[in-house]
């Protein structure tokens, strides 16, 4: 259930230990996370933030793709961060996991070259999505890229049926924007000036849509 400011990965704390296998088996995880990484124009040394990083799978994939990246992951839930930290070697591999909420990111303005979010925004109300998007814009460097993968409007009737299961688990208050296809307009209303959908993947629980936006240079 909702804690102070966040909804756990599978809504209930007791389901957190099975988050990784559930996501791996039901969301075509490797395909969509590698597509998300593949759209980023990254160079070694770039600073990267994974917001709502959960169990750290995307952060690990980012490290494998480009070991010189300076990778930061934030999540509100200390339990799932424990799973993420256990996945990295004692030297940290250039990955820093921090417990924090998306509404007040613990970083100065213009800190990151890339910000990623995967299966995260459907955990937030419309108002919290907007607050978070404005924080993302604040900590992104001019010319920096924002990459989103999350549930979107279902591609067909079967996907609509799948999406009902996510709504039943995570609640309609936070998932409605996603399944009604309103994430792009929220991104634009927060101040991003462009957004394009780069891919859509049908899964057991609905359609995952992937977007990319770039923060305008002054
Ligand atoms: C479904 S999980 C996604 C995890 C990971 N990004 C992935 O793709 O597997 C959503 C995560 O967002 C975190 N979360 C939800 N609301 C948050 C908030 N306001 N600030 C930070 N983390 C939040 C939850 O604790 C959870 O770990």
């Amino acid at each position: 259930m909702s804690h102070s400011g966040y909804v756990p990965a599978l809504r209930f704390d007791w389901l957190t230990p099975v988050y990784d296998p559930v996501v791996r088996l039901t969301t075509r995880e490797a395909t969509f996370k590698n597509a998300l990484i593949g759209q980023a124009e990254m160079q070694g040394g770039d600073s990267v933030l994974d917001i709502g990083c959960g169990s750290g799978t995307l952060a690990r994939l980012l490290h494998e793709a480009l070991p010189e990246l300076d990778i930061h992951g934030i999540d509100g839930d200390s339990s799932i961060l424990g799973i993420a930290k256990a996945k990295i070697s004692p030297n940290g591999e250039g990955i820093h996991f921090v417990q924090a909420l998306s509404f007040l990111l613990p970083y100065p303005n213009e800190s990151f070259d890339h910000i990623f979010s995967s299966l995260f925004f459907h955990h937030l109300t419309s108002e919290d999505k907007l607050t978070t998007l404005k924080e993302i814009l604040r900590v992104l460097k001019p010319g920096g890229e924002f990459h989103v993968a999350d549930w979107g409007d279902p591609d067909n009737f079967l996907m609509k049926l799948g999406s009902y299961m996510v709504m039943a688990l995570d609640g309609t208050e936070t998932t409605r924007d996603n399944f009604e296809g309103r994430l792009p307009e929220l991104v634009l209303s927060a101040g991003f000036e462009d957004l394009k959908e780069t891919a859509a993947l049908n899964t057991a629980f609905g359609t995952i849509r992937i977007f990319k936006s770039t923060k305008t240079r002054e």
Side-chain angles (χ1 to χ4, degrees), residues 88-106:
I88 55 176
S89 68
N91 71 14
E93 300 175 329
I95 306 177
H96 314 275
F97 291 116
V98 173
Q99 185 178 8
L101 290 173
S102 59
F103 322 123
L104 193 62
L105 295 171

Side-chain angles (χ1 to χ4, degrees), residues 5-7 19 33 52-54 75-77 100 102-103 118-120 123:
Y6 73 92
V7 176
Y19 179 75
K33 287 186 176 168
C53 63
D75 200 286
D77 184 354
S102 59
F103 322 123
S118 156
L119 299 181
F120 163 67
H123 279 232

Side-chain angles (χ1 to χ4, degrees), residues 5-10 19-20 23 29 32-33 50-58 74-77 80 100-103 117-120 122-124 132 170:
Y6 73 92
V7 176
L10 290 175
Y19 179 75
D20 271 348
V23 170
E29 183 181 29
F32 91 78
K33 287 186 176 168
D50 178 11
I51 188 162
C53 63
S55 60
T57 307
L58 184 68
I74 71 109
D75 200 286
D77 184 354
I80 203 152
L101 290 173
S102 59
F103 322 123
S117 92
S118 156
L119 299 181
F120 163 67
H122 74 278
H123 279 232
L124 305 180
T132 295
D170 288 326

Side-chain angles (χ1 to χ4, degrees), residues 36 53 78 81 96 98 123 126 132 145 151:
L36 191 66
C53 63
S78 61
L81 281 176
H96 314 275
V98 173
H123 279 232
S126 311
T132 295
E145 296 178 352
W151 302 116

Side-chain angles (χ1 to χ4, degrees), residues 16 22 45 52 104 118 124 158 167 173 189 212:
T16 298
V22 168
L104 193 62
S118 156
L124 305 180
L158 258 186
M167 280 190 246
E173 193 192 357
S189 65
K212 176 175 179 175

